[in-house]
């Protein structure tokens, strides 16, 4: 679909610098005031394999990726062969003069004339691409200078020379691609970051001061961003020897008073399940980020899916309360991670942020976060008034016991993974067992009352209601706009929190819609089944995607067409 936004796809092998080109251009567009949605598609290998870095951008909000390509920057022949067929009517191919190109508008870039060495080819490609979309050269110059500043003025000047030559070369060429409309003059300050970076910042805003993890794509970048940004806040980070150690380190830190986080992906989280159960019994606050990728087992380690909802929901033996958040975008990643810390502390229970590879790697241009609007997480009970009579697991009306931190008072803080008495000592008194389990479960009622309600977009009593969760939001909203263009009374119901579910918050929307369709990224409709389990409402129209790629509006519209056939 042609519009004020354009879709730029940079294709090539891993190691050719396509991420450098894409990342720098995305930053330039953000600084110029444009909106962006970045989608990274890459194979699970260090070098080689076909990868793409797609930037959908424009002066108006863009919310989802698209398969149509307006500018294809091909760094190798395979990129031309695979993607030339996706070019729109205004499409343009940017490729080296040594590649075979189809009969389509193109810019054949003389890299060897513009750049003295192949080392500079990605900067030359950046100059060509920036000029083709009419990006301000001065912004590109500042970004290139910042990127090479640490390597000295000679390196900076050499790269700037290539950038300027490539930018000027495009101005001398004839090509049919028109510049984008100008960005809004009143866009205000914008920052560019991806979902995992936003999760890391949300954690720090929530007071996170301990991180433990074992690397696993696509959850690792949460830890890397936390380590980078947490230096200024005193964050303690530990890369454990495995996932079991990682989650138990976090529990130990939480026992000692830290606000702890663990980041992983589905396969790693599977190993953490016993630790999750331990958190439920010890009533320790811990935030666990699970970045979903297709399974079972190793599956497609660098692609996206929403198939770990059931894993996170039922992880850990026994019964204990938890909260599970599913961010729909970068802003959600920040605010919901902060919310996860707040609830974990208040209810002394594990809280989860369930994201996915698409959102983890997807850069967006967003307004700076409003830190003043964030509530302060509850403080620990450091010094009980009657320290000697302190009971860590005192039975209370709401199930939340006073939480003292060992060493901060005369209170003896005793915890036990066995069933325990109010003062934390092991017991096999079955009446105490019942009372203690009831106490733990009562915290769940509070979590239900505080559940983040789903967001509703569209008219009341629509003819069609699309239900989705997590990162599917953007594609669903674009689908809504397209349906409105066809005069269809449609709406979207998006779940940012998928557990616990409070039916009072969303059942009226489901019951008043003429038709309800669930859109989710797994092969069985996990949220649809959960809604039926919790409320009895059956959603039997499902549009599911599980090929490793994120949803697009075109995919959802095609799914609606199949349901109508």
């Amino acid at each position: 679909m042609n519009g004020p936004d354009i879709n730029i796809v940079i294709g090539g092998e891993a190691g050719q610098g396509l991420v450098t080109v894409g990342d720098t251009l995305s930053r330039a567009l953000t600084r110029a005031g444009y909106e962006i949605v970045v989608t990274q598609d890459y194979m699970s290998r260090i070098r080689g394999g076909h990868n793409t870095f797609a930037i959908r951008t424009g002066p108006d909000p863009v919310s989802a990726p698209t398969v149509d390509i307006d500018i294809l920057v091909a760094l190798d022949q395979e990129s031309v062969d695979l993607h030339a067929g996706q070019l729109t009517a205004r499409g343009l191919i940017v490729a080296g003069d040594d590649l075979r190109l189809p009969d389509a508008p193109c810019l054949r870039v003389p890299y060897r004339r513009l750049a003295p060495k192949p080392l500079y080819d990605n900067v030359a490609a950046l100059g060509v691409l920036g000029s083709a979309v009419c990006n301000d050269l001065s912004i590109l110059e500042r970004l290139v200078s910042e990127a090479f500043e640490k390597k000295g003025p000679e390196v900076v000047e050499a790269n700037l020379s290539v950038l300027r030559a490539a930018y000027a070369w495009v101005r001398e060429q004839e090509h049919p691609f028109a510049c984008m409309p100008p960005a809004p003059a009143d866009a205000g300050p914008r920052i560019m970051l991806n979902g995992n970076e936003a999760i890391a910042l949300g954690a720090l805003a929530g007071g996170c001061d301990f991180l433990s993890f074992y690397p696993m794509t696509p959850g690792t970048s949460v830890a890397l961003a936390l380590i980078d940004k947490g230096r200024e806040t005193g964050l303690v980070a530990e890369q454990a020897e495995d996932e079991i150690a990682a989650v138990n380190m976090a529990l130990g830190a939480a026992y000692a008073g830290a606000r702890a986080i663990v980041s992983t992906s589905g396969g790693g989280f599977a190993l953490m399940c016993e630790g999750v159960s331990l958190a439920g019994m010890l009533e320790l606050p811990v935030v666990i980020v699970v970045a979903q990728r297709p399974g079972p087992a190793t599956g497609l380690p660098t692609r996206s899916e929403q198939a770990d909802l059931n894993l996170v929901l039922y992880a850990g033996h026994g019964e204990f309360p938890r909260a599970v958040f599913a961010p729909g975008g970068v802003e959600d990643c920040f605010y919901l991670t902060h919310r996860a810390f707040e609830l974990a502390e208040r209810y002394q229970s594990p809280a989860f942020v369930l994201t996915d590879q698409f959102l983890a790697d997807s850069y967006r241009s967003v307004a700076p976060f409003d830190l003043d609007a964030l509530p302060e997480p509850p403080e620990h009970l450091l010094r009980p008034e009657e320290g000697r009579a302190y009971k860590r697991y005192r039975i209370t009306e709401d199930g939340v016991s006073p939480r003292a931190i060992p060493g901060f008072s005369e209170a003896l803080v005793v915890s036990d993974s066995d069933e325990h008495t109010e003062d934390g000592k092991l017991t096999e008194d079955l009446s105490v067992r019942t009372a203690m389990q009831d106490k733990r479960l009562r915290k769940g009622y509070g979590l239900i009352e505080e559940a983040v309600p789903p967001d509703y977009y569209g008219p009341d009593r629509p003819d069609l209601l699309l239900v989705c969760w997590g990162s599917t939001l953007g594609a669903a909203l674009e689908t809504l706009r397209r349906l409105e263009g066809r005069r269809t009374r449609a709406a979207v119901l998006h779940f940012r929190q998928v557990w616990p579910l409070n039916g009072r918050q969303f059942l009226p929307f489901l019951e008043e819609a003429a038709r309800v369709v669930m859109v989710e990224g797994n092969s069985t409709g996990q949220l649809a089944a959960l809604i039926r389990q919790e409320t009895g409402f059956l959603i039997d129209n499902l549009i599911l995607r599980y090929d490793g790629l994120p949803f697009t509006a075109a995919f959802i519209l095609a799914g609606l067409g199949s349901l109508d056939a």
Side-chain angles (χ1 to χ4, degrees):
M1 183 180 78
N2 291 344
D5 61 88
I6 63 172
N7 190 38
I8 304 166
V9 173
I10 306 162
E13 294 184 358
Q16 282 193 297
L18 76 165
V19 173
T20 301
V21 176
D23 182 88
T24 308
L25 182 66
S26 299
R27 293 184 189 282
L29 291 165
T30 298
R31 291 191 184 186
Y34 289 101
E35 302 282 347
I36 60 167
V37 169
V38 168
T39 310
Q40 298 189 59
D41 185 75
Y42 50 96
M43 294 186 172
S44 179
R45 57 184 75 175
I46 303 301
R47 295 190 66 85
H50 178 64
N51 301 335
T52 59
F53 190 105
I55 310 165
R56 192 177 184 186
T57 182
D60 301 324
V62 287
S63 57
T66 182
V67 294
D68 299 326
I69 299 175
D70 296 302
I71 298 181
L72 171 62
V73 182
L75 300 181
D76 63 0
Q77 186 63 47
E78 189 176 11
S79 298
V80 177
D81 298 339
L82 287 175
H83 300 295
Q86 296 171 242
L87 286 172
T88 61
R90 61 178 175 179
L92 174 71
I93 299 176
V94 177
D97 53 8
D98 57 337
L99 299 183
R100 300 185 309 278
L101 301 183
D103 183 17
C106 61
L107 279 173
R108 300 189 68 93
V109 184
Y111 282 108
R112 293 288 61 77
R113 182 156 65 88
L114 298 175
K117 300 176 183 177
L119 177 68
Y120 297 96
D121 281 1
N122 52 9
V123 174
L126 175 65
V128 170
L129 188 50
S131 185
V133 300
C134 307
N135 202 246
D136 190 329
L137 177 60
S138 64
I139 295 177
L140 294 171
E141 289 176 330
R142 285 198 295 274
L143 286 167
V144 168
S145 297
E146 290 168 10
F148 295 101
E149 186 177 14
K150 292 182 180 178
K151 296 187 178 182
E154 291 184 1
V155 175
V156 170
E157 190 51 45
N159 281 279
L160 286 177
S161 177
V162 172
L163 176 76
R164 291 165 182 153
Y167 196 94
W169 176 81
V170 175
R171 298 289 158 170
E172 299 169 354
Q173 311 304 309
E174 291 187 1
H175 65 82
F177 199 84
C179 296
M180 285 192 297
D186 57 350
R190 310 285 286 179
I191 56 176
M192 182 184 118
L193 71 170
N194 63 35
N196 276 3
E197 290 171 338
I199 286 173
L201 294 177
L204 292 174
C208 176
D209 50 11
F210 182 84
L211 158 74
S212 52
F213 73 106
Y214 184 77
M216 189 171 188
T217 304
T220 305
S221 53
V222 173
L224 298 181
L226 264 169
I227 292 169
D228 180 44
K229 306 298 182 186
R231 296 179 198 280
E232 301 172 16
T233 65
L235 176 91
V236 174
E238 177 69 19
Q239 178 177 327
E241 65 267 32
D242 57 35
E243 286 88 349
I244 299 172
V247 70
N248 286 311
M249 281 183 182
L251 298 186
Y255 173 75
R259 288 183 176 152
I261 192 171
V262 181
S263 69
T264 186
S265 298
F269 182 68
L271 297 172
M272 297 182 180
C273 291
E274 187 172 5
V276 174
S277 184
L278 183 60
M281 178 57 97
L282 298 184
E283 301 188 46
L284 289 174
V286 62
V287 174
I288 302 176
V289 179
V290 180
Q292 299 168 99
R293 65 189 212 187
T298 307
L300 294 171
T302 59
R303 306 303 169 94
S304 196
E305 202 164 80
Q306 293 181 301
D308 291 338
L309 171 58
N310 285 340
L311 173 65
V312 170
L313 191 59
Y314 300 114
H317 50 287
E319 301 167 301
F320 52 93
R322 70 191 74 191
V324 184
F325 297 96
V330 166
E331 293 95 336
D332 270 356
C333 287
F334 176 84
Y335 290 110
L336 291 180
T337 302
H338 182 277
R339 177 73 169 164
F341 271 91
E342 181 188 0
L343 290 189
E345 287 289 332
R346 189 182 307 158
Y347 290 95
Q348 302 171 25
S349 295
F352 298 87
V353 179
L354 188 57
T355 182
D356 56 45
Q357 179 271 332
F358 163 57
L359 188 53
D361 293 331
S362 184
Y363 287 97
R364 312 288 172 95
S365 167
V366 298
F369 302 124
D370 185 1
L371 299 180
D372 293 334
L374 299 175
E376 286 291 330
E379 295 292 335
H380 310 309
L381 179 67
L382 296 180
R383 303 179 190 281
E385 292 182 2
E386 299 179 4
R388 295 183 183 278
Y390 173 73
K391 294 180 178 180
R392 170 64 185 94
Y393 299 110
R394 193 177 76 203
I395 292 178
T396 60
E397 186 174 347
D398 62 1
V400 179
S401 304
R403 179 172 170 240
I405 302 303
F408 283 80
S409 69
E410 294 183 357
L412 179 62
V413 183
V414 179
S415 293
D416 199 305
S417 66
D418 282 53
E419 192 54 89
H420 40 251
T421 58
E422 289 183 276
D423 55 4
K425 296 176 182 174
L426 183 154
T427 183
E428 294 200 24
D429 184 323
L430 302 188
S431 63
V432 173
R433 154 68 186 180
T434 303
M436 197 57 68
Q437 180 66 1
D438 289 343
K439 182 198 89 74
R440 287 190 289 266
L441 293 184
R442 281 200 293 277
K443 295 191 290 183
Y445 300 133
L447 287 172
I448 291 175
E449 292 303 314
E450 294 206 47
V452 178
D455 292 320
Y456 186 83
Y457 306 86
D460 295 337
R461 303 178 184 279
D463 295 328
L464 171 64
L465 176 62
L466 299 176
V467 182
C468 61
W469 60 282
S471 70
T472 307
L473 173 64
L477 290 180
E478 183 174 340
T479 304
L480 175 61
R481 290 193 290 272
R482 294 197 190 188
L483 290 172
E484 289 171 342
R486 300 176 185 178
R487 299 186 181 280
T488 300
R489 279 181 53 80
V492 167
L493 183 67
H494 174 254
F495 284 79
R496 296 192 294 155
Q497 183 169 351
V498 289
W499 188 261
L501 294 178
N502 185 340
R504 297 194 306 275
Q505 295 176 334
F506 60 86
L507 266 178
F509 296 120
L510 300 177
E511 292 168 343
E512 292 174 0
R515 186 187 192 194
V516 180
V517 176
M518 174 62 78
V519 181
E520 56 180 313
N522 54 65
S523 60
T524 57
Q526 294 184 17
L527 183 62
L530 185 61
I531 289 174
R532 186 180 187 187
Q533 170 188 302
E534 294 300 305
T535 67
F537 190 92
L538 172 63
I539 304 176
D540 53 2
N541 291 304
L542 306 176
I543 297 176
L544 307 175
R545 183 161 205 175
Y546 42 94
D547 59 0
L549 298 177
F551 273 100
T552 63
F555 188 94
I556 297 174
L557 289 168
L560 290 172
S562 297
L563 291 174
D564 291 334

